[in-house]
Amino acid sequence: MATTAELFEEPFVADEYIERLVWRTPGGGSRGGPEAFDPKRLLEEFVNHIQELQIMDERIQRKVEKLEQQCQKEAKEFAKKVQELQKSNQIKEAADVIQKLHLIAQELPFDRFSEVKSKIASKYHDLECQLIQEFTSAQRRGEVSRMREVAAVLLHFKGYSHCIDVYIKQCQEGAYLRNDIFEDAAILCQRVNKQVGDIFSNPEAVLAKLIQNVFEVKLQSFVKDQLEECRKSDAEQYLKSLYDLYTRTTSLSSKLMEFNLGTDKQTFLSKLIKSIFVSYLENYIEVEIGYLKSRSAMILQRYYDSKNHQKRSIGTGGIQDLKERIRQRTNLPLGPSIDTHGETFLSQEVVVNLLQETKQAFERCHRLSDPSDLPRNAFRIFTILVEFLCIEHIDYALETGLAGIPSSDSRNANLYFLDVVQQANTIFHLFDKQFNDHLMPLISSSPKLSECLQKKKEIIEQMEMKLDTGIDRTLNCMIGQMKHILAAEQKKTDFKPEDENNVLIQYTNACVKVCAYVRKQVEKIKNSMDGKNVDTVLMELGVRFHRLTYEHLQQYSYSCMGGMLAICDVAEYRKCAKDFKIPMVLHLFDTLHALCNLLVVAPDNLKQVCSGEQLANLDKNILHSFVQLRADYRSARLARHFS
């Protein structure tokens, strides 16, 4: 067949084709040649060649038929496209005509031209429906240019808004496939924003209508489904869901602000958000307050239950107030002391939980409250914090702690009130931090600021007053403990030994035990307080410690060696006073040490010592009282030298 194909070279002449075939066939030559003429072989070659030509003819015919069919199909498609283009143009032309006729028909009187007007209206409606259907089909095919053409024609028809509705409906098909409806909505609006300007002459209005549809249909339905199921049954979940949904909705709104939606898009989007949440926000604060109260009460009750403690009723009113004032002025217990076994009834875990709940309430309040209601709502939340943290927990612990402070003459008393002070100070710092960090920003520019500051001031002053009372009574107990030590350990013979020549100069056992006790209390005070409070309390303890020591020394009569022991004791007390790091306290003990020198100084030197730097400014009666403590005071010689 390949050989046959070569024989069909252009230009084709049948005789020449046969002649070339014969010469190519062995034994086909008529004259000479390598082989003699062989008619049978030539005939056989002709028969075979004819068969090959028939096969070739069939193949070529099939190919021709196939090409003809393809040509006919393409011709039909081309004709159809031309017809569609022609039809498209006729639609546009018809729309222009029917639009003008429709406008003219509006001016015609109905009684004379009712039939004409009816036909025009019918044709107007049919054509409008055809255009909308064409727009719908083009959108489904993704033919933006065709959508733009049809939309331009429909722009002058009443059904133009329906065209926009169709576009909005179809562009949302398959748009919400993820788990995050807000992210889906944002992606949808971004996609439409890029496309809408290529289709419509008023893209900002179309995009705004899409956004309105997303908010009022899709998001509103989603929010309702999320909130209604827990609105009455689970306040905590309801508040968390409301906050989350509102936050995500406003976040979506912020993303949409970058699009051109018309003149006042801020107001437009705000109204859409309000339309979704108005029924939930109008009573939000009541739900918040109710939940916060019940949650705070539960946190406290769970704590007291864990301590197996039944809260005592703390009385209020005239009698209780009178008792409190008397107690503050006289340090009288005015009631039986209770044994709390060292329990402060203050819990940092409870405080953190209460503050965390309140913090979340402040955050929700900030987000969900109308700006005009925000300061008032924040103040209501603050009052609940004051009620449960400051009154029900801290104030209760202070009252219980005060009732647990033993009387000043109790022995081996557990002075745990300083632990209450320490924990209360820590809680005050946390309370103050939340006040500044979370409440102040919500009320700083409103009249509620002064009200909150006043309430905070009152509650802190009330607690500080109770802390001061407790500390004062605790210091009295400390002094009482020292009195017990001195009474039990100090002997009269310590300062007037029977054998003056067999005394080792050192401090007494009573002094050792008192100093050990004082150092322990000083360390506890430093650990329990901070700032200037440490110095204030140590100052008070130091002054009382000095007074106790002064009065204690006044009870004895001193021999020469006994006076030396007293000086050694006071020197040890003075060393202990140095731990206070309060100059005035150290000065008091320096003076006391100088006074003790009057117990041992030679009679001839009394006047000189009394006029010295440390004693010169003291009242003469004080000096005289110490001189009178000398065992040899009644000798005429000593009285003469001191007079």
Side-chain angles (χ1 to χ4, degrees):
M1 185 65 70
T3 304
T4 304
E6 293 176 0
L7 296 176
F8 280 100
E9 294 179 355
E10 294 291 342
F12 179 78
V13 179
D15 291 342
E16 293 181 0
Y17 174 78
I18 294 173
E19 188 67 27
R20 286 197 300 274
L21 179 62
V22 169
W23 281 104
R24 288 173 178 268
T25 305
S30 58
R31 303 176 186 174
E35 298 184 15
F37 177 71
D38 188 347
K40 290 184 178 180
R41 190 170 182 179
L42 185 61
L43 176 63
E44 182 181 349
E45 181 65 25
F46 279 157
V47 171
N48 291 336
H49 194 74
I50 289 171
Q51 291 177 348
E52 291 180 0
L53 288 174
Q54 288 175 340
I55 293 172
M56 180 182 287
D57 180 64
E58 291 175 357
R59 290 179 177 174
I60 291 173
Q61 188 61 35
R62 286 197 299 269
K63 188 173 183 180
V64 169
E65 290 175 356
K66 186 176 181 179
L67 290 172
E68 286 177 347
Q69 291 175 357
Q70 183 176 351
C71 182
Q72 290 174 0
K73 181 179 179 181
E74 291 179 354
K76 288 181 180 180
E77 290 178 351
F78 179 76
K80 182 180 179 181
K81 190 171 184 179
V82 170
Q83 185 179 10
E84 287 177 350
L85 291 173
Q86 291 175 343
K87 184 180 178 181
S88 172
N89 289 332
Q90 293 170 359
I91 288 175
K92 186 174 182 179
E93 293 171 1
D96 185 53
V97 171
I98 200 65
Q99 174 67 18
K100 291 177 179 177
L101 287 174
H102 181 72
L103 292 174
I104 294 172
Q106 304 300 315
E107 305 297 327
L108 297 176
F110 182 79
D111 53 347
R112 294 177 55 190
F113 300 96
S114 59
E115 184 177 355
V116 174
K117 293 183 70 169
S118 176
K119 288 182 178 179
I120 292 175
S122 176
K123 188 64 177 177
Y124 181 95
H125 176 72
D126 292 343
L127 188 58
E128 187 178 65
C129 291
Q130 292 175 23
L131 287 169
I132 292 174
Q133 183 59 46
E134 176 61 21
F135 181 90
T136 303
S137 300
Q139 185 177 2
R140 287 176 176 164
R141 295 192 303 267
E143 297 177 358
V144 174
S145 60
R146 182 61 181 153
M147 292 167 67
R148 180 174 59 250
E149 292 174 0
V150 177
V153 174
L154 275 168
L155 181 61
H156 304 291
F157 281 76
K158 294 179 179 179
Y160 180 68
S161 62
H162 186 55
C163 171
I164 295 175
D165 293 339
V166 168
Y167 173 77
I168 289 173
K169 179 181 178 181
Q170 290 196 162
C171 70
Q172 291 186 75
E173 293 177 356
Y176 305 101
L177 300 178
R178 302 172 183 81
N179 291 328
D180 190 342
I181 188 174
F182 297 94
E183 184 65 23
D184 286 338
I187 293 173
L188 167 65
C189 293
Q190 289 170 353
R191 173 168 58 82
V192 171
N193 181 60
K194 294 177 181 178
Q195 182 189 71
V196 71
D198 297 331
I199 300 174
F200 298 97
S201 59
N202 55 338
E204 66 282 351
V206 177
L207 184 58
K209 194 168 185 179
L210 167 66
I211 292 172
Q212 182 176 356
N213 183 268
V214 168
F215 273 72
E216 294 180 350
V217 178
K218 200 69 180 179
L219 294 185
Q220 185 156 353
S221 175
F222 179 77
V223 168
K224 183 177 180 180
D225 291 342
Q226 295 290 310
L227 294 180
E228 289 299 328
E229 62 183 43
C230 61
R231 188 172 190 175
K232 296 181 180 179
S233 59
D234 189 342
E236 179 181 14
Q237 186 57 47
Y238 171 75
L239 289 169
K240 288 181 178 179
S241 297
L242 177 59
Y243 176 78
D244 178 64
L245 292 169
Y246 189 83
T247 300
R248 294 169 72 188
T249 304
T250 53
S251 176
L252 173 62
S253 174
S254 299
K255 293 179 182 178
L256 301 180
M257 281 291 290
E258 66 186 57
F259 303 143
N260 182 12
L261 304 176
T263 54
D264 193 356
K265 52 188 174 183
Q266 177 69 56
T267 303
F268 169 69
L269 292 170
S270 296
K271 287 182 178 179
L272 291 179
I273 295 174
K274 186 176 181 180
S275 68
I276 295 177
F277 291 98
V278 62
S279 63
Y280 305 106
L281 298 183
E282 60 187 6
N283 69 334
Y284 147 72
I285 193 59
E286 302 304 328
V287 179
E288 185 73 78
I289 294 300
Y291 167 72
L292 189 57
K293 282 184 176 180
S294 62
R295 178 66 177 169
S296 300
M298 186 200 73
I299 290 172
L300 288 179
Q301 190 59 50
R302 188 169 57 192
Y303 167 71
Y304 295 119
D305 288 346
S306 71
K307 297 293 182 181
N308 197 25
H309 174 73
Q310 182 67 38
K311 287 188 75 174
R312 298 166 58 246
S313 176
I314 300 175
T316 57
I319 296 177
Q320 183 64 26
D321 292 342
L322 177 60
K323 285 184 176 182
E324 181 62 29
R325 286 197 296 271
I326 295 174
R327 184 175 65 177
Q328 291 167 12
R329 295 183 182 182
T330 64
N331 276 323
L332 294 175
L334 293 180
S337 175
I338 64 171
D339 188 358
T340 60
H341 304 288
E343 177 60 61
T344 64
F345 291 108
L346 286 173
S347 167
Q348 191 160 339
E349 180 182 357
V350 167
V351 173
V352 169
N353 287 339
L354 290 175
L355 291 176
Q356 180 64 22
E357 292 292 341
T358 311
K359 174 186 174 184
Q360 293 173 357
F362 280 136
E363 290 174 349
R364 289 192 290 262
C365 176
H366 189 193
R367 177 73 70 180
L368 302 176
S369 295
D370 186 272
S372 61
D373 296 330
L374 177 58
R376 181 170 60 255
N377 291 348
F379 178 75
R380 293 182 66 183
I381 293 173
F382 174 64
T383 58
I384 294 176
L385 177 64
V386 169
E387 177 185 354
F388 286 94
L389 175 63
C390 298
I391 298 176
E392 291 295 328
H393 191 56
I394 305 177
D395 191 65
Y396 175 77
L398 294 180
E399 286 287 348
T400 304
L402 286 171
I405 297 176
S407 62
S408 58
D409 59 353
S410 299
R411 298 191 179 189
N412 301 318
N414 181 11
L415 304 180
Y416 84 101
F417 191 81
L418 290 180
D419 295 333
V420 177
V421 174
Q422 179 186 15
Q423 294 182 35
N425 280 334
T426 301
I427 295 172
F428 281 154
H429 289 309
L430 295 175
F431 172 75
D432 194 53
K433 178 173 174 53
Q434 183 167 92
F435 184 93
N436 294 325
D437 292 350
H438 299 286
L439 177 61
M440 284 292 287
L442 309 185
I443 60 171
S444 58
S445 57
S446 77
K448 284 293 179 183
L449 173 61
S450 59
E451 194 172 347
C452 286
L453 290 172
Q454 182 62 29
K455 192 172 187 66
K456 175 189 172 187
K457 179 183 177 184
E458 290 174 356
I459 198 70
I460 289 182
E461 285 179 349
Q462 178 183 345
M463 293 184 183
E464 285 180 344
M465 185 171 60
K466 293 181 180 181
L467 286 172
D468 290 344
T469 300
I471 292 171
D472 183 65
R473 294 170 62 191
T474 299
L475 293 180
N476 282 342
C477 287
M478 290 179 182
I479 299 301
Q481 296 290 94
M482 296 181 210
K483 284 183 179 180
H484 285 304
I485 294 173
L486 291 173
E489 301 295 334
Q490 198 83 73
K491 306 293 189 293
K492 289 186 177 182
T493 55
D494 287 343
F495 303 119
K496 203 172 183 182
E498 296 177 357
D499 187 355
E500 289 280 326
N501 298 319
N502 193 24
V503 177
L504 296 176
I505 303 299
Q506 58 181 3
Y507 32 79
T508 66
N509 190 50
C511 172
V512 172
K513 291 192 175 182
V514 167
C515 287
Y517 179 82
V518 170
R519 288 190 173 96
K520 183 179 178 182
Q521 304 314 310
V522 169
E523 189 65 25
K524 194 164 188 178
I525 289 171
K526 288 181 178 179
N527 292 334
S528 302
M529 301 176 193
D530 54 13
K532 295 181 179 179
N533 292 331
V534 177
D535 291 345
T536 302
V537 175
L538 287 178
M539 166 81 81
E540 187 61 29
L541 177 61
V543 170
R544 297 187 191 190
F545 175 34
H546 168 265
R547 185 185 305 122
L548 171 67
T549 307
Y550 177 89
E551 292 174 353
H552 175 69
L553 292 174
Q554 292 279 331
Q555 300 176 34
Y556 299 94
S557 176
Y558 299 87
S559 66
C560 183
M561 289 307 298
M564 293 299 294
L565 276 173
I567 291 174
C568 290
D569 276 3
V570 174
E572 194 64 22
Y573 293 142
R574 183 175 61 177
K575 188 186 298 183
C576 185
K578 286 184 179 179
D579 294 341
F580 287 59
K581 299 187 184 306
I582 306 294
M584 179 181 172
V585 174
L586 185 58
H587 172 70
L588 290 174
F589 279 93
D590 284 342
T591 304
L592 182 60
H593 188 267
L595 281 170
C596 287
N597 285 332
L598 297 178
L599 302 175
V600 298
V601 70
D604 294 340
N605 296 330
L606 273 175
K607 283 190 175 182
Q608 181 182 352
V609 173
C610 289
S611 60
E613 181 180 351
Q614 289 184 307
L615 301 180
N617 295 326
L618 290 182
D619 186 274
K620 189 173 182 180
N621 292 327
I622 294 176
L623 300 176
H624 192 192
S625 66
F626 261 81
V627 174
Q628 286 179 322
L629 299 178
R630 292 173 62 129
D632 59 353
Y633 171 73
R634 297 198 177 276
S635 68
R637 183 183 175 194
L638 181 59
R640 184 176 65 252
H641 279 286
F642 189 73
S643 60

